[in-house]
């Protein structure tokens, strides 16, 4: 997808170091850099294999990476349809408010339509007011009545699933 200033494209294996850098920048923005365990090798093994676990869209201006979105397919039993889980969406601070986030969301909508999908889901930090306002402006429903639940590695390995 082209705009006058930026290009959105599917990432490929040669982009692994760029993806790694953008993951670190997003984690730093989110205040959780210490939680990043991704490595270029892990990314290569999981994103650019025979059955990729997720997909990455890169945003570039003059071949300079300025943002990304990662997503994977989900399934809704209520809809009996596939959908998209948007895992990360990040644009470098100096490139925000240029319509890039909106273009990424629209691109994901096109992907969702192509797979016959019924929805796109994601989470947003409760304190990230600019993102919440952006998503609401685009027509997203911010659902307050549900909470994210997680079994972390420790729980899976030692407590819950023994």
């Amino acid at each position: 997808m082209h705009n006058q200033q930026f290009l959105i494209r599917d990432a490929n294996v040669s982009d692994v170091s760029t993806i790694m850098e953008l993951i670190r920048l997003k984690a730093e923005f989110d205040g959780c850099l210490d939680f990043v365990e991704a490595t270029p090798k892990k990314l290569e093994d999981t994103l650019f294999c025979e059955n990729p676990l997720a997909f990455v869209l890169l945003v570039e201006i003059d071949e300079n990476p300025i943002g990304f979105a990662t997503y994977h397919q989900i399934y809704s039993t209520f809809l009996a349809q596939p959908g998209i889980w948007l895992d990360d969406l990040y644009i470098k601070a100096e490139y925000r408010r240029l319509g890039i986030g909106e273009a990424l969301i629209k691109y994901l909508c096109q992907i969702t339509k192509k797979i016959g999908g019924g929805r796109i889901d994601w989470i947003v930090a409760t304190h990230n007011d600019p993102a919440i306002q952006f998503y609401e402006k685009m027509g997203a429903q911010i659902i307050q009545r549900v909470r994210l639940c997680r079994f972390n590695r420790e729980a899976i390995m030692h407590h819950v699933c023994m």
Side-chain angles (χ1 to χ4, degrees), residues 60-159:
E60 297 174 331
I61 294 180
D62 299 325
E63 298 184 18
N64 173 37
I66 58 144
F68 78 128
T70 62
Y71 67 95
H72 62 271
Q73 193 167 311
I74 57 173
Y75 183 79
S76 167
T77 54
F78 284 14
L79 300 178
Q81 281 181 281
I84 295 287
W85 178 267
L86 171 60
D87 195 49
D88 288 318
L89 189 149
Y90 175 79
I91 297 156
K92 290 180 179 178
E94 61 269 31
Y95 297 100
R96 294 180 191 151
R97 293 180 176 61
L98 299 176
I100 297 168
E102 186 174 340
L104 273 169
I105 296 290
K106 288 178 178 178
Y107 198 96
L108 288 164
C109 287
Q110 293 304 317
I111 292 168
T112 305
K113 286 179 190 176
K114 265 188 217 168
I115 65 167
R119 67 185 193 202
I120 300 171
D121 290 329
W122 68 98
I123 59 172
V124 61
T126 55
H127 65 275
N128 191 346
D129 291 329
I132 292 168
Q133 289 165 9
F134 164 72
Y135 293 135
E136 286 179 330
K137 188 177 107 188
M138 288 207 63
Q141 300 171 320
I142 309 296
I143 301 167
Q144 304 291 339
R145 68 182 179 275
V146 295
R147 299 270 192 240
L148 173 70
C149 299
R150 174 178 294 152
F151 288 129
N152 65 14
R153 184 181 305 123
E154 177 73 16
I156 293 166
M157 299 303 285
H158 303 293
H159 301 299

